[in-house]
Amino acid sequence: MGAYFIGAHELLGWVDGLRESTRIIGPVAKRQRFVFAELESAAQLRLDYDVTILPPKKVFFPPKQQILAFDSERVSDCIDPVPTVLLGVHFYDVKGLDMTDFLMRERYEDWNYLAQREATTIVASSVQSVAPRAFWGSIGAHVRPQGHDAMLTKVSEGYVLETRTPKGERLAGLERFRHATDDEVAGAERVNAAVMDQCSQLMPYDSKEIATKVRESFGNEELWDDLAMDCFSCGSCNIVCPTCYCFDVRDSWNVDQTSGQRTRYWDACLTREFAAVTMAGGQKENFREHHASRFRHRFMRKAAYLHDKLGGPACTGCGRCAAACTANIADPVRVINTIMGVTL
Amino acid sequence: MTKPRVAFFDFASCEGCQIEFTNHGDAVILELLNHLDIVEFREAMTETTNEPIDIAFIEGSFTRESDRVRLQAIRSRAKTVIAYGACAVTGGINALKNHQDDFAEEVYGEAAYMPHLRSGTARPISAAIKVDHEVRGCPVSKEELLLVISNLLHGTTYAVPTFPVCAQCKRRETVCRYEEGDHCMGQVARAGCGAPCPADGIPCEACRGFVDDANLGALEKVLVERAGFSQRRAVAKSRMFTANLRS
Ligand code: SF4
Ligand code: SF4
């Protein structure tokens, strides 16, 4: 599709113009961090953010999502998509969405996710600040981001908007844009290429090699006990991850005790009871009883099991888990590089 | 269907958990009265009862032998007993005194020797009687209480979250206390509260007690390495709600 240019001083006017007709969700500041939130004015937009606390997956699959409402007469779904422009998604998070887009369609189509996904136009944006724990420069380099409708790149005098779909093209159809010159397009390409070397963290292995070695490390209990020693089983590493998609379902009644709702919540495989099941007779069996086996499971999923399905690692290199882990042990760079370095 | 008869009782506590129930306000409580028959509740009514009851909410910790007698009497006429609030579930804040002997004068001054202040070890009510369900927290979460009640009314059991508070902070995108140079116990504290304290900029004190298998060794390490505590302070880190859960 097309390539357009907008002057730096025109950008906020464009965003405010869009706000008149659609909901816009973009990165905004929260204390010293950033979160994706609905913009109340374009001035809140922080395209210079490094990484958000939660990934943009939450727009389609909220941490707490009502999926059914019931009363004594009927049960109804709660699918109610809102036309949205999701603005300012970094490329590594687009990759994360590509993975959940695939996983939420696999076998069973999850319309609680897909309906809002289809009602959303995604405008990716160039990375202007690199998060300290990010390693997207070296992981899954062969996997290209695909799910965005347009890409906005900051160049010296303004922004280049490259559209990829008719949805993206419609955004550029608004006033304030002009066609970008070849030089501007080449400039944007240079900006996006240059940032790839900016991560201080490196995972210098091919993802297939990683998948093989991680799988082989499964039986090395000493290694995993060691890696997981300080684990709190808190699940923070799961909750902040763009590619985690497990949820727990709970029913609750309203105070009238006849109507109520079914709600799903993000679950976390690092937590103690995630793999606990109740058996006949009421006994519980936990097939990942020990924290090291849960810690190992996360890496098996991200590096090996899902790799087979997705053709690349189920990790975008966003570094959120590394930053969220108070014990400072969840970092894939530490874990994978350790595994790659040991003789099993 | 007859409505279950519900009564509230209190032992060593501030009765704040019972007040938390009344904080639901008229609309919720009047609706609940269509489903429950509250027969004793001294925060809100004068009547009491010696008749059998279906659900007993017991607030407060067990600190005297006379408490045991009263607890047993409640148990013997109640179908379901609910330990209600931190004091009843773990001993709560009262258990702080279990680890020191100089508190009486410190707290009560000249009145320290009044006979009614002579109490023993502060224990959970489960040390005296069988408890069917627990509602944790200081105070309890009033939203969670509604879930407990509606599950009882429907003959099901409320599934209490067993994971730590961290997960609930992350779900609501609270900036971690550690990232602000503070400390926190959310990694080992039981969730279910919805993590309101860190969202207000206050470290979690684990008022709902510890998760099972809490990694206290790792907590000490994080308090030293990330929050800058001395080793001694890390080990002794607030026992405010967890005195009975530590060695
Ligand atoms: S690895 Fe870290 S973030 Fe993940 S569960 Fe363990 S302590 Fe929590
Ligand atoms: S595993 Fe960690 S670095 Fe990888 S995508 Fe998930 S949160 Fe980001």
Side-chain angles (χ1 to χ4, degrees), chain A residues 302-334:
Chain A
K302 302 287 177 206
Y305 308 159
L306 282 171
H307 192 285
D308 300 349
K309 230 183 240 206
L310 299 167
C315 173
T316 66
C318 70
R320 287 184 176 95
C321 56
C325 177
T326 57
N328 199 12
I329 59 168
D331 188 353
V333 176
R334 176 191 84 113

Side-chain angles (χ1 to χ4, degrees), chain B residues 16-33:
Chain B
C17 290
Q18 290 173 79
I19 295 291
E20 196 57 14
F21 177 74
T22 65
N23 283 344
H24 272 299
D26 290 355
V28 169
I29 291 181
L30 292 178
E31 176 60 43
L32 273 180
L33 290 181

Side-chain angles (χ1 to χ4, degrees), chain B residues 9 23 42 55-56 74 85 90 96 102 110 113 118 120 143 145 174 193 203 208 236:
Chain B
F9 303 96
N23 283 344
R42 78 171 195 149
I55 305 169
I74 296 168
T90 63
L96 275 173
D102 57 350
E110 283 180 9
Y113 300 97
R118 296 273 72 82
E143 287 72 28
L145 177 60
T174 295
C193 51
R208 300 167 65 96

Side-chain angles (χ1 to χ4, degrees), chain A residues 51 55 92-93 96 99 133-136 139 203 236-244 298-299 302 313-324 330-333:
Chain A
V51 66
Y92 53 83
D93 273 341
M99 294 181 212
R133 307 298 291 263
F135 56 100
W136 33 253
I139 188 168
M203 197 186 280
S236 293
C237 48
N238 297 126
I239 302 281
V240 299
C241 180
T243 75
C244 277
R298 183 169 80 98
F299 285 95
K302 302 287 177 206
C315 173
T316 66
C318 70
R320 287 184 176 95
C321 56
D331 188 353
V333 176

Side-chain angles (χ1 to χ4, degrees), chain A residues 227-228 230-238 270-271 291 295 298-299 321 324-331 334, chain B residues 164 166 170 187:
Chain A
L227 288 167
D230 289 335
C231 183
F232 291 112
S233 304
C234 72
S236 293
C237 48
N238 297 126
L270 267 285
T271 58
H291 67 268
F295 187 91
R298 183 169 80 98
F299 285 95
C321 56
C325 177
T326 57
N328 199 12
I329 59 168
D331 188 353
R334 176 191 84 113
Chain B
C166 285
K170 296 298 172 304
Q187 305 102 313

Side-chain angles (χ1 to χ4, degrees), chain A residues 14-33:
Chain A
W14 170 63
V15 174
D16 266 329
L18 283 178
R19 273 187 60 249
E20 282 167 21
S21 54
T22 31
R23 175 171 80 152
I24 311 238
I25 294 180
V28 304
K30 178 165 188 178
R31 303 177 82 94
Q32 73 277 36
R33 299 284 316 265

Side-chain angles (χ1 to χ4, degrees), chain A residues 30-36 52-54 58 63 228-236 239-240 250 252-258 265-267 271-273 289 291 323-327, chain B residues 28 31-32 35 146-147 149-151 153-154 156 158-164 166-167 170-180 187-188 201 211-213 215 218-219 221-222 226:
Chain A
K30 178 165 188 178
R31 303 177 82 94
Q32 73 277 36
R33 299 284 316 265
F34 299 93
V35 296
F36 280 101
T52 52
I53 301 180
L54 291 182
K58 70 171 187 177
M229 184 161 70
D230 289 335
C231 183
F232 291 112
S233 304
C234 72
S236 293
I239 302 281
V240 299
R250 285 174 176 244
S252 54
W253 289 274
N254 295 329
V255 64
D256 65 17
Q257 308 301 332
T258 43
Y265 299 84
W266 288 358
D267 208 342
T271 58
R272 199 175 56 89
E273 296 219 332
E289 186 97 58
H291 67 268
C325 177
T326 57
Chain B
V28 169
E31 176 60 43
L32 273 180
H35 309 279
L146 287 185
L147 296 175
I149 291 175
S150 61
N151 274 282
L153 288 171
H154 289 85
T156 50
Y158 168 63
V160 197
T162 54
F163 50 78
C166 285
K170 296 298 172 304
R171 282 186 193 155
R172 60 188 285 184
E173 296 195 281
T174 295
V175 178
C176 181
R177 295 312 307 148
Y178 285 93
E179 285 185 59
E180 304 218 37
Q187 305 102 313
V188 292
V211 290
D212 292 346
D213 301 336
N215 195 338
L219 179 69
K221 196 164 155 188
V222 172
R226 289 203 60 187

